[in-house]
Amino acid sequence: MEPVKPVPEHRAAEPLTEYVQRVNRRIRAFDHRHPLVWDLLLTGFWVLAALIDATGGGWRNVAHDPSVPEGLVLVLSLALSVPVLWRRSHPRVALLTTLPAALVSAWSGAALQSALLQLLLVHHIALRLPLRNLWWVVALAIAPSCVTAARYGDSAGSWNQQVGSQLVSIGVAALIGITVRARRDHTSVLEDRARRLETERDQQIRLAAAAERARIAREMHDIIGHNLSVITGLADGGRYAAAKSPDRAAQALDAIGTTSRQALGELRRLLDVLRDDDENGTVPAPELAPQPALTDLDHLLDGVRRAGLPVRTTIKGEPALPEGRQLTVYRVIQEALTNTLKHAGSDATAYIELSYKTGGAVTLTVTDTGRATALPSPTLSDGRGLPGMRERTSLYGGTLEAGPRPAPEQGWRVHLHLPEESPQ
């Protein structure tokens, strides 16, 4: 969709035009709320005009036979003007209702001017009904002129003058109706398009907000879950070492402090992203820091080892991954080791095998020797552990497998594979 271009100053609406448009909008709004009021006013005007013409004798100035009884003229005037009340709700019925009166007016020679109100009904038929109705509408509207020409001949004017002028009038009325209809339909399409664009925009905003909440939830789970698991392991180890080796207990406490401060720092950086600046701009900008990468893997493994989980690693190839892929691999390793700390038992060990390939492909396998049956089932997860790892993996078209190791081996295995990056 092309951006809306600003209207040049020399093309801006004049004050009179703005006033007319404003009044027009108010009239349309009132008519939309109270359609019967406008219908009664317009119909009353034409009925009054027809009665004045009938009772004042003005109709005799154009009549082909001025001797038509006044009572008949009065009835014909009402029959031609009252159906205008239904011009919007039932235009076809209104036109068919006026047809007998128009034919009698033409045959009797009264030639009432109120018969021209049929043009208003033709206009509304063209405006509101399918255009295929115009064929029989033209035939009905031209019938009184044909009757006049057949009965009074050249005394009422030539055939071309009578029928031709009536055809032109009908064509103009229908054309105006079609033009107004086309403009109304075009405006309706534009309004509908604007509503759909607004709906799509709101949906995109909601989807973006939901995706951001999910991302923040994953990050918070990884940060809190991992660091609390490390702190728990250090606290348990420090409790056992307090009686026999106070120095080891002090080291555990130092490690707990370091790990907790690191977790708080990561949480602050994550939550600062959600903070909006106040109106005066007095809130300082959040202190930004890069997301963890594979260069931080040694620091992660050191914390896990201090928590009491021996970890061995085997790395093949040279890491050349984008930041997003590095974060995915880092978080999968972090989640796998966190689960091992929580569920594998105190005598478990972990083994990490990481293989880098060309084109950004990477294969990761994390295994442990703990009690596989104690690990949580993916179907019973809270939605932030194994499902979170799978969501991260699916962003890059990769696969993630997590489950117990095949017998007779014990423990748990997490296998990640990210394919090569698609060429840009």
Side-chain angles (χ1 to χ4, degrees):
M1 179 179 178
E2 296 182 357
V4 178
K5 298 181 179 179
V7 179
E9 294 183 359
H10 67 277
R11 294 182 59 187
E14 297 294 336
L16 179 60
T17 304
E18 293 179 354
Y19 175 76
V20 172
Q21 292 176 350
R22 185 165 59 252
V23 172
N24 186 34
R25 286 194 297 269
R26 290 178 179 176
I27 293 175
R28 288 179 178 273
F30 179 82
D31 181 47
H32 182 73
R33 293 192 302 268
H34 310 285
L36 184 59
V37 174
W38 182 251
D39 289 342
L40 289 174
L41 288 175
L42 185 63
T43 304
F45 172 80
W46 289 116
V47 169
L48 181 61
L51 291 176
I52 292 174
D53 184 58
T55 58
W59 61 275
R60 292 189 176 91
N61 296 327
V62 294
H64 305 306
D65 184 4
S67 63
V68 177
E70 292 185 1
L72 178 61
V73 172
L74 181 62
V75 172
L76 293 177
S77 297
L78 291 174
L80 289 169
S81 57
V82 171
V84 173
L85 180 63
W86 299 283
R87 74 193 190 283
R88 293 198 288 187
S89 58
H90 302 88
R92 278 183 298 197
V93 175
L95 180 63
L96 292 173
T97 303
T98 61
L99 179 62
L103 293 175
V104 172
S105 174
W107 181 264
S108 64
L112 296 176
Q113 297 296 308
S114 54
L116 295 176
L117 291 175
Q118 285 187 319
L119 298 177
L120 181 60
L121 301 177
V122 171
H123 165 80
H124 279 276
I125 290 175
L127 177 63
R128 303 177 187 280
L129 299 181
L131 297 182
R132 61 177 179 271
N133 290 280
L134 291 179
W135 296 106
W136 64 266
V137 167
V138 172
L140 294 182
I142 203 66
S145 297
C146 295
V147 170
T148 300
R151 180 170 173 77
Y152 296 97
D154 292 339
S155 61
S158 63
W159 274 83
N160 293 337
Q161 181 180 359
Q162 295 183 61
V163 179
S165 61
Q166 183 69 3
L167 278 174
V168 171
S169 300
I170 295 172
V172 171
L175 184 60
I176 293 174
I178 293 172
T179 302
V180 174
R181 179 178 186 166
R183 181 175 179 82
R184 184 186 63 184
D185 292 344
H186 179 66
T187 303
S188 177
V189 169
L190 292 180
E191 291 176 351
D192 180 68
R193 182 183 181 187
R195 284 192 297 268
R196 286 189 287 106
L197 289 176
E198 290 179 359
T199 301
E200 292 176 1
R201 180 199 61 191
D202 295 340
Q203 290 176 346
Q204 292 296 330
I205 292 175
R206 288 194 293 270
L207 290 174
E212 185 64 14
R213 286 195 297 269
R215 184 190 70 82
I216 292 173
R218 287 195 301 266
E219 295 297 331
M220 292 188 68
H221 170 270
D222 294 338
I223 294 171
I224 297 175
H226 170 73
N227 288 285
L228 285 180
S229 298
V230 172
I231 290 173
T232 301
L234 290 171
D236 291 341
R239 183 183 63 183
Y240 290 121
K244 298 180 180 180
S245 179
D247 294 339
R248 297 291 300 274
Q251 293 177 0
L253 292 175
D254 291 339
I256 289 174
T258 302
T259 304
S260 60
R261 283 191 295 271
Q262 178 185 355
L264 287 175
E266 292 183 6
L267 285 177
R268 286 196 187 98
R269 286 193 294 270
L270 183 62
L271 296 177
D272 281 343
V273 178
L274 304 178
R275 183 189 304 172
D276 295 327
D277 293 345
D278 64 0
E279 296 180 357
N280 299 326
T282 57
V283 178
E287 185 178 332
L288 302 180
Q291 292 277 22
L294 293 177
T295 54
D296 303 309
L297 190 57
D298 291 338
H299 182 71
L300 172 67
L301 298 180
D302 290 340
V304 173
R305 293 186 180 109
R306 286 197 302 269
L309 176 64
V311 182
R312 295 183 296 111
T313 60
T314 299
I315 300 177
K316 300 178 182 179
E318 295 294 332
L321 301 178
E323 294 180 357
R325 291 187 170 227
Q326 290 191 40
L327 178 62
T328 298
V329 175
Y330 180 92
R331 292 303 189 192
V332 169
I333 295 175
Q334 185 184 56
E335 180 66 24
L337 296 179
T338 300
N339 286 337
T340 301
L341 282 171
K342 289 180 179 179
H343 308 287
S346 58
D347 56 346
T349 60
Y351 176 65
I352 299 174
E353 184 178 0
L354 187 57
S355 176
Y356 302 106
K357 301 179 181 179
T358 58
V362 60
T363 301
L364 167 69
T365 303
V366 182
T367 57
D368 63 57
T369 60
R371 299 184 298 272
T373 56
L375 286 174
S377 171
T379 59
L380 301 177
S381 173
D382 60 358
R384 304 301 178 195
L386 296 178
M389 289 195 290
R390 289 193 174 94
E391 289 177 8
R392 292 180 182 275
T393 305
S394 64
L395 293 176
Y396 301 97
T399 57
L400 180 74
E401 300 174 0
R405 299 170 66 184
E409 297 177 339
Q410 292 185 345
W412 195 264
R413 175 179 178 271
V414 176
H415 179 74
L416 166 71
H417 173 70
L418 297 182
E420 295 184 5
E421 291 187 275
S422 301
Q424 300 295 325

